[in-house]
Amino acid sequence: MLLFRYNDYNYRLGFRYINMDRSSALLLPNFKFKVSTLSYAIGIACTYLALPVHAEDTTASALPTITIKAQGNWLEEANAETVHKHAGARTIIDRKRLDETAATSIREALKQIPGVQAQDSSGTGGSDVSLNIGVRGLASRLSPRSTVLVDGVPLSFAPYGQPQLSLAPVSIGNIESVDVVRGAGSVRFGPQNVGGIINFATRSIPQDFSGTVSLTSEYASGTDQVKLSPNLFVGGTLDNGLGLALLYSGTKGNGYREANNKIDIDDVMLKSAYQFNDKDSVASNLHHYEGRGEMPEGLTQAQYAENPYQSSGEKNYFAGRRTDVSLRYNHKDEKNNFEVLSYYIDSFRTSNLETTLANGQKRLDSAPRDYKVYAIEPRYSRIYELGNTQNEVTVGYRYLKEESSEFAGRTASYAAGSSVPDFAPRSSSEGGTKAHAVYIDNRMELGRWTITPGVRFESIETHNNFTGYNKGQPNTVYPKIDSDEFLPSLSVMYSANENWNIFANAGVSFGPQQYSQLARLEGTTATATTKGLHPEKSNNYEIGTKYLGNGLNAEFTVFYLDFDKELSLVRDAANNGIWTDLGATSHKGVETGISYDFGQLSDALEGLKVYGNYTFTKAVAEAGQFKDKDLPFYSRHVGNVGLGYTVDKWSLNADMFAQSKQHSPDLPDSNVYQTEETADGKYGDIPGYTTFALRTSYDLSSQVKGLKIAGGIKNVFDKQYFTRSTDSTGGKYVGLPRTFYLQTSFDF
């Protein structure tokens, strides 16, 4: 009970903090980040946090003497204990939890994490090959503001110039854990991470030879269609220290729309590792992903009322491939941790998007794109003592080079059902980025306190030679931009005891301009936009507490993001994508998460677990015509509650997910904040909804060693809900109907 009393107290303090008078220097929209101001903010936070500690029984036993070890790479071998000791909001979902909650997609896994909103497929992010992640009220379409990694390697086409995930080469079947760092990460991981760092750790090479074969079958009751997800994992380690593992995850079949939603994904990874001795090791990953997802179009208001599952856009699809190879060397001893990570990424994506014009004619757009990325990242950490403090200093460097080649073509208009004319070029571009980054942070432990100041310096050179075509005649602009940015941070953590800590942090996140933000078409003319748009910059603040022990894992965080200029992608009257400057915005809110094992109370309750999370977010414009209005496509309230029970060979799980309404307010060439639904289905409020899920599993190992079977129902009560999209395939998109699934697996 003491814990919850402290939590309530911290909630009051945190809410006072994020709602302090805007005239304060700390929260001015255009406030320039200064170390003195940062120190002031952290000092206030720590003063507040220390207050409940004074109420603590002074006779309580002191913490044991702490001897810190070189932590090195935060993301390596992350578990509940290392997450607990992170001085910022951070949540990890491991393989066991993924299995217990029957997460059959990346989106379902992310919905269990506070602060994260994983949107359903819609628009040009409308299939299983794409990923739409929004963190703390940030835009979710194709996940542009989170650094998304697989085993520490960027998942996006190009981390600086093209961070979107219209093609997301990651599959739930190959994942060991999902690790989301929402605070105190900008120094280590650089730009494009105002929405945090999301790392998908793939399944580890086993010590002994073993493997798993599994198949998940999904049946959508709305359209009676089936989707299959086969998985294979096999590997082991030889006596000489050489380890090998093969991972395969696929998705085959159809979604829940009546047409044009076929999915075909193959995701293969070959992992190898060699342990030279107890201190030195080398590991390499070879990864290849190919995916093609047909995309049903958004529906108008009338079409949705007639049949929400219909689709006529039979030509719409996204497809692509990615091959990446990474090599990692690591040295660990009691005082030192040295790592070198190098990776090369070669990716290609293309799309066909059909648009219905006002006159009823059709038009087809195509956009093939190539990207190549090379990077090397050395990192060194060392333990040292200074006076009565123990310290870990980490220095790191990254060199990254990108090359991009993009093309956009469009046909002339044609009648529905007729042959499609040839593509004519609209634009092409040849872009590239060279980026150098250096960083240093120092983790200092002084008694119960852990203080970590740090700073990162990014030097970025980006160009995009952009060509527009007017009746085949090219016109070219050559915009480029250089960015030199310091990204300071400071985090403080107080360990009240071995189980409970309190933290606060502040830092700066930076988003350099993407290739599409350097130039665009105006009619048929190539136009540079370097003077009209600016890189994004945000000052980020957190204060929170975490508890881990005695069967309880709980977290509570208050956050505040202060953007001076936030960019948004809108559509003009001709349905062309245009980046615009929203001006100052603020994102504030509260994140909570909890899980509890009732077996800690009584043997009779062994196997009974409960888990849940809740996030309140208020993301609004601080300037412009929509001042104090909500930003589009996020929910103020999002929650997830689940109950699991394991007895003998049976396992049962029940889950509820809920989110409040969202907004889609922007009308081209209009000053109206649209709340009523428009006829095309693109604009207007989106109602909130609640869905329920059930799962049961049985271990058949007593009959057939290693055999397990599970089945369940998603959206048990067949709740009909929808989202919207405002892009070239925009309109209303129905959500997942009642869906039955069967999972079989065999461990060997």
Side-chain angles (χ1 to χ4, degrees), residues 425-678:
R426 297 188 68 228
S427 67
S428 63
S429 68
E430 299 292 330
T433 296
K434 291 183 180 179
H436 300 266
V438 293
Y439 63 87
I440 182 170
D441 62 34
N442 188 89
R443 177 166 60 104
M444 178 179 66
E445 297 200 0
L446 179 61
R448 298 174 182 262
W449 293 91
T450 301
I451 304 170
T452 308
V455 64
R456 184 184 185 97
F457 175 72
E458 286 273 358
S459 181
I460 308 165
E461 299 176 0
T462 299
H463 73 274
N464 189 19
N465 302 337
F466 186 82
T467 300
Y469 296 90
N470 184 6
K471 298 180 180 179
Q473 297 301 312
N475 55 95
T476 306
V477 293
Y478 304 91
K480 63 179 181 179
I481 186 170
D482 297 339
S483 300
D484 295 317
E485 294 289 339
F486 283 94
L487 307 177
S489 76
L490 177 63
S491 64
V492 179
M493 185 173 70
Y494 179 80
S495 299
N497 53 49
E498 292 183 351
N499 306 115
W500 178 34
N501 63 51
I502 306 164
F503 64 85
N505 62 73
V508 175
S509 291
F510 172 73
Q513 285 180 245
Q514 304 165 26
Y515 300 128
S516 60
Q517 296 168 355
L518 298 184
R520 66 180 178 91
L521 283 178
E522 292 187 356
T524 58
T525 303
T527 304
T529 57
T530 52
K531 294 183 179 180
L533 300 175
H534 306 276
E536 293 182 320
K537 206 169 191 178
S538 172
N539 302 305
N540 308 330
Y541 308 92
E542 286 186 339
I543 186 170
T545 184
K546 290 184 278 191
Y547 186 92
L548 178 64
N550 304 314
L552 176 66
N553 190 347
E555 57 180 311
F556 178 92
T557 305
V558 175
F559 64 86
Y560 178 70
L561 313 180
D562 185 10
F563 272 97
D564 57 353
K565 296 180 180 66
E566 185 172 344
L567 302 182
S568 176
L569 182 64
V570 299
R571 295 279 159 176
D572 64 11
N575 219 9
N576 298 308
I578 297 179
W579 285 95
T580 183
D581 190 348
L582 292 177
T585 66
S586 66
H587 303 243
K588 61 188 72 172
V590 176
E591 300 165 345
T592 63
I594 188 170
S595 66
Y596 185 68
D597 184 352
F598 286 93
Q600 298 290 321
L601 298 177
S602 167
D603 291 342
L605 299 176
E606 184 70 31
L608 181 63
K609 298 179 181 179
V610 65
Y611 61 88
N613 66 76
Y614 167 75
T615 302
F616 168 77
T617 308
K618 184 179 180 181
V620 298
E622 297 289 347
Q625 60 182 346
F626 295 154
K627 187 177 186 296
D628 296 326
K629 298 288 189 181
D630 276 21
L631 300 180
F633 296 108
Y634 87 96
S635 297
R636 286 200 173 190
H637 305 275
V638 178
N640 174 243
V641 178
L643 184 69
Y645 184 58
T646 301
V647 55
D648 296 326
K649 301 179 184 299
W650 287 96
S651 177
L652 304 171
N653 193 86
D655 184 272
M656 181 193 76
F657 173 81
Q659 68 176 45
S660 63
K661 73 176 181 181
Q662 299 183 353
H663 300 279
S664 177
D666 300 315
L667 275 174
D669 305 318
S670 173
N671 294 322
V672 177
Y673 188 90
Q674 192 73 22
T675 57
E676 297 296 322
E677 184 174 67
T678 56

Side-chain angles (χ1 to χ4, degrees), residues 150 169-170 267-270 285-289 322-325:
V150 173
V170 60
D267 190 357
V268 185
M269 177 177 286
L270 178 62
N285 292 348
L286 178 61
H287 178 217
H288 183 74
Y289 176 100
R322 164 173 159 141
T323 300
D324 60 269
V325 59

